[in-house]
Amino acid sequence: MPDVFADLVGQDEAVAELRRAAGAAAAVLRAGAADRTPALIAAGPASEAAPETGDTEPGALDPSTGMTHAWIFTGPPGSGRSVAARAFAAALQCTYGTGCGECPGCHTTMGGTNADVRMVVPEGLSIGVGEMRALVLRAASTPSGGRWQVVVIEDADRLTEAAGNALLKAIEEPPPRTVFLLCAPSTHPDDISVTIRSRCRVVPLRQPPAAAVAEVLVRRDGIAPDVAQWAAAAAQGHVGRARRLARDPEARKRREAVLAVPRRLTGVGAAFDAASALIEAAEAEAEASVSEADATERAALETALGAGGTGRGAAGAMRGAAGQLKELEKRQKSRATRAQRDALDRALVDLAGFYRDALTMALRAPVDPVHTDTAALAGAGAQKWDAEGSLRRLEAVLACRAAIEANVKPRIAVEAMMLALWKG
Ligand SMILES: [Zn+2]
C-alpha cells in the first residue's frame, strides 16, 4: 500500500501541514510514555502568540503547536475532505512514521477496521443528538491501541443544533487522547457553528486541477490517459465523480441525458417534460443506490427481532419491534431523500458546466471547456444567446441548486429553472 496521503490529489500544502501535525502527535505520545503525563499541550513550547480561544488551562491547546484536538477539513465537494480526514487518522495511528501505509495502524485505519477510529457518515439529511452523544461518550474512552481515539465526522454541516452542542462540549473539554476531525464545505456559519469553528484548526482543500485528477486516474485506476483527461475535465475537479464517469457506462449515459436538455427545450411543454425527466432520472438513480441496502437492513432487523415469535411476552416484544421497524423506515426514507438530492445535484452541476462553456465561448475566454464532447453545441448556444443570455442561463441553474439547498421542493425548483433556460 502506498503512503496514506497518496490519494489526496493536488493538496500539497494540506498534506505538509497534516504530516507535521502527525509528527508532533507522535512526539506527544513519546513524551507521555517517558513522563506518564500525556497531554497534547506537550506538543511544543508555549507560544508567544495569544491563542485564538484565549485558553491556557492544561489540556487545552495552543494553536501554534503542531497538533490539536479538533480539526475542520473544508473544500468543494470532491476535493477530498473525507479522504484527507481518513489519511490523517491513519497518520495518527501509524506505528513507524506519519502515514507509511505499511504498518498495522495505517492498514487498519485505511481499511476501516481500526478500533480507535470511528467514521461517522450521515446517511440521512442530518446527524441527530442521540447519535452524537453516544459518539462523544465512546470517544472519551482510552484508545485500545495506545495512541489516539479519532472520530471523523463527514458532512459535519448536517449536524442538528442539539448534536452540534453535544459535540461542542466534547471539543471544549477534550479527553487527552481524543481527536475530532470534521468535514464541511466551508467554515461559513451555515455550515459549522462559530463556536465549534473557533475551537478547531481549519485545513482548507482546493478544487484539484483537472490534470492532477487525470494523473491519479491513470496511475491508480489504470484508466487510459485520453479517457482520464476527458473524465477529469467533465467532473470539474471532483475526483470520485471523474472515476465514476471513466468507469461506469450508466453514469456516462445519465450525464449524456442531462447534456441533451439544452437542445430539447423548444417550448413550454418541452420545458416541463425536461423537468419531469430530470427529476425521474434522479429518483431512479437514488432508488438503485439505496434499495439493496434497505432490503438487507430490514431483513437483518426482522431476524434480530425474531419476527413471527409466539408465546409469553411475544406481544410486548412485537410492540417494541414495530417501533424499531418504524424507526428504521424513517431512517431509510431520510437516506433516500438525500440520495435523490445528491443525484439531482450532480445533474445540475453537469448542466451548469454546459452553460459555463457557452459563456466562456461567448466571451472568447482562453479556457478549456468543461464538457469537450458538447463543446460544439455550447458554441452554437454562445452564438445564439451571446454572453448575457448564456450568463442568465447559468444563473438559472445555480439558482435552482440554491433553492433545493434551501428546501424548495425539487420539482418546483427544476420546473422554474427549465422555463428560465427556455425563455433565457
Ligand atoms: Zn504506518
Side-chain angles (χ1 to χ4, degrees), residues 229-290:
Q229 267 163 27
W230 164 81
Q236 303 177 61
H238 193 306
V239 183
R241 171 93 176 127
R243 184 176 302 122
R244 176 85 50 88
L245 282 176
R247 285 180 145 178
D248 179 2
E250 288 300 312
R252 284 201 291 273
K253 243 186 263 170
R254 283 193 292 268
R255 171 180 168 279
E256 275 163 26
V258 168
L259 292 177
V261 163
R263 61 171 172 257
R264 288 174 50 195
L265 295 173
T266 50
V268 178
F272 279 101
D273 286 349
S276 286
L278 199 64
I279 296 280
E280 279 152 25
E283 282 170 359
E285 187 186 341
E287 170 71 25
S289 75
V290 300

Side-chain angles (χ1 to χ4, degrees), residues 1 4 90-91 93-107:
M1 192 163 90
V4 297
Q93 307 296 6
C94 180
T95 324
Y96 301 131
T98 54
C100 66
E102 306 291 339
C103 70
C106 287
H107 256 288

Side-chain angles (χ1 to χ4, degrees), residues 123-402:
E123 295 187 319
L125 292 171
S126 62
I127 305 174
V129 65
E131 194 180 341
M132 185 52 65
R133 286 209 184 110
L135 195 71
V136 162
L137 205 63
R138 288 178 67 186
S141 60
T142 308
S144 59
R147 298 184 70 86
W148 305 97
Q149 279 283 3
V150 185
V151 179
V152 179
I153 303 176
E154 286 189 30
D155 296 324
D157 51 310
R158 291 177 199 262
L159 291 171
T160 62
E161 195 181 337
N165 288 337
L167 174 64
L168 176 63
K169 238 181 259 168
I171 292 181
E172 277 177 339
E173 288 169 34
R177 293 289 193 86
T178 303
V179 179
F180 290 93
L181 308 179
L182 316 185
C183 307
S186 75
T187 54
H188 189 279
D190 283 352
D191 286 338
I192 207 91
S193 83
V194 175
T195 39
I196 290 183
R197 151 80 190 84
S198 71
R199 300 280 174 164
C200 295
R201 188 181 299 174
V202 179
V203 180
L205 302 176
R206 59 196 186 110
Q207 180 171 313
V213 176
E215 191 270 327
V216 84
L217 293 186
V218 172
R219 173 169 52 80
R220 198 190 43 194
D221 302 307
I223 289 161
D226 55 333
V227 177
Q229 267 163 27
W230 164 81
Q236 303 177 61
H238 193 306
V239 183
R241 171 93 176 127
R243 184 176 302 122
R244 176 85 50 88
L245 282 176
R247 285 180 145 178
D248 179 2
E250 288 300 312
R252 284 201 291 273
K253 243 186 263 170
R254 283 193 292 268
R255 171 180 168 279
E256 275 163 26
V258 168
L259 292 177
V261 163
R263 61 171 172 257
R264 288 174 50 195
L265 295 173
T266 50
V268 178
F272 279 101
D273 286 349
S276 286
L278 199 64
I279 296 280
E280 279 152 25
E283 282 170 359
E285 187 186 341
E287 170 71 25
S289 75
V290 300
S291 62
E292 198 180 325
D294 282 1
T296 311
E297 283 172 1
R298 193 180 171 98
L301 181 58
E302 281 173 350
T303 307
L305 296 171
T310 53
R312 225 177 252 261
M318 281 317 287
R319 275 198 298 279
Q324 288 190 47
L325 275 174
K326 215 169 163 187
E327 184 58 36
L328 177 68
E329 278 164 13
K330 202 173 115 194
R331 224 169 47 234
Q332 292 183 339
K333 186 156 184 280
S334 175
R335 178 168 65 193
T337 307
R338 178 167 176 201
Q340 273 173 31
R341 286 204 194 168
D342 289 350
L344 188 55
D345 199 58
R346 280 192 289 277
L348 293 173
V349 169
D350 282 343
L351 204 53
F354 175 85
Y355 291 107
R356 174 253 186 218
D357 286 347
L359 176 63
T360 54
M361 287 177 198
L363 293 170
R364 299 183 200 291
V367 292
D368 293 331
V370 169
H371 302 298
T372 44
D373 43 356
T374 54
L377 201 63
Q383 290 222 320
K384 196 162 126 197
W385 305 321
D386 217 346
E388 231 176 282
S390 303
L391 179 61
R392 273 200 305 277
R393 287 171 173 83
L394 174 57
E395 283 174 342
V397 180
L398 300 179
C400 178
R401 285 186 80 195

Side-chain angles (χ1 to χ4, degrees), residues 54-151:
D55 269 323
T56 49
E57 73 262 29
L61 284 164
D62 179 338
S64 69
T65 58
M67 184 57 195
T68 67
H69 281 294
W71 298 71
I72 301 178
F73 296 84
T74 64
S79 57
R81 298 179 303 230
S82 57
V83 176
R86 185 193 295 264
F88 186 40
L92 290 174
Q93 307 296 6
C94 180
T95 324
Y96 301 131
T98 54
C100 66
E102 306 291 339
C103 70
C106 287
H107 256 288
T108 52
T109 305
M110 297 305 274
T113 57
N114 190 302
D116 294 331
V117 178
R118 251 170 285 284
M119 301 283 294
V120 183
V121 186
E123 295 187 319
L125 292 171
S126 62
I127 305 174
V129 65
E131 194 180 341
M132 185 52 65
R133 286 209 184 110
L135 195 71
V136 162
L137 205 63
R138 288 178 67 186
S141 60
T142 308
S144 59
R147 298 184 70 86
W148 305 97
Q149 279 283 3
V150 185
V151 179

